[in-house]
Amino acid sequence: SFADDVPNRQFGYQVSCGSRWTYGVIGMCFKVVTNCKSADEVSTRIDQFIAEYRSELINMKAEAFMEHVVGLAKDKLQRFNSLEEEAGSLWSEIVEGRYDFEVHRNEAEVLRQLSKENLIEAFDKYLLAPASSPTPPPSSISPSTSIEGGDGKKKRKKKKKASGTSFPRKLTVKVIGTADGEASNGRPDINVDDDEDVVVADIVDEKVNDFHKTTKNQTWG
């Protein structure tokens, strides 16, 4: 697993990963805390792990795959430990606008139809980077076509752009501390003049606004 592989390579002393659902957006979250590697190295290693893990899925035996499916179904069908936990689960359905109050049972029902081929297809579509995927990335702009009008002249008509891409979107958050050494690589330099009152929060807000401009203020929803 990811949590076993990364520490063995001496990348970090706190490693975790898991799925998440954030206001309708499904994703995988990888977290590594390290004091010996840079944030860029950690990010590259995560991508490498995902690409290498595909071969494990391919070679996984049917019995092992079924054990994972059954274990996940049992986990989803576990009873709530308290009324507070159940209320929190139901309330989250209202907040996120999904209103699937039997979501755990419904997901367990879907698992009955899951095959290893379905899993590999979803893995290639949602987790693999375009360079690692066996399927080439789709072109964002379709070629134009020629249409002959009533006057005999050919007119060129552009096809619509693809509505979306089947490749995953990635959000990388790098929190770099104040320690010296390789782990501090990538930390921005903030120059503060003695006679100028510079607030770090203002600099952070400026960086965030610059990022929003590069993404044209698009959201993940």
Side-chain angles (χ1 to χ4, degrees), residues 9 12 15-16 39 82 96 111 118 130 132 142 149 167 191 207 211:
R9 297 174 182 264
V15 180
S16 62
S82 65
E96 296 178 359
L111 287 174
N118 297 145
S132 305
S142 301
F167 289 92
N191 297 321
K207 296 294 184 181
F211 170 76

Side-chain angles (χ1 to χ4, degrees), residues 172-210:
T172 303
V173 179
K174 302 175 182 178
V175 181
I176 304 175
T178 58
D180 296 327
E182 189 176 356
S184 65
N185 292 345
R187 185 175 63 227
D189 294 328
I190 300 177
N191 297 321
V192 180
D193 297 332
D194 296 336
D195 56 350
E196 184 179 358
D197 184 16
V198 177
V199 181
V200 175
D202 294 337
I203 299 177
V204 173
D205 289 340
E206 181 181 352
K207 296 294 184 181
V208 172
N209 290 332
D210 291 341

Side-chain angles (χ1 to χ4, degrees), residues 18-79:
S19 60
R20 62 178 299 159
W21 170 285
T22 307
Y23 294 102
V25 179
I26 303 175
M28 283 290 294
C29 179
F30 295 86
K31 179 182 178 181
V32 177
V33 180
T34 177
N35 62 352
C36 61
K37 298 295 182 180
S38 67
D40 288 337
E41 286 184 275
V42 173
S43 180
T44 300
R45 180 65 194 112
I46 292 174
D47 291 336
Q48 183 181 351
F49 168 80
I50 295 175
E52 293 173 350
Y53 192 74
R54 186 179 190 275
S55 61
E56 294 195 27
L57 293 178
I58 296 293
N59 298 324
M60 183 181 295
K61 295 183 178 180
E63 294 80 4
F65 172 77
M66 188 56 60
E67 288 178 0
H68 286 295
V69 173
V70 172
L72 180 59
K74 287 183 177 179
D75 181 67
K76 291 183 176 296
L77 294 175
Q78 283 186 351
R79 299 181 63 181

Side-chain angles (χ1 to χ4, degrees), residues 154-172:
K154 290 186 176 182
K155 300 179 182 179
R156 301 192 68 82
K157 181 180 179 181
K158 290 184 178 180
K159 292 183 179 179
K160 294 182 179 179
K161 292 183 179 180
S163 58
T165 174
S166 59
F167 289 92
R169 290 179 291 178
K170 176 183 176 182
L171 173 64
T172 303

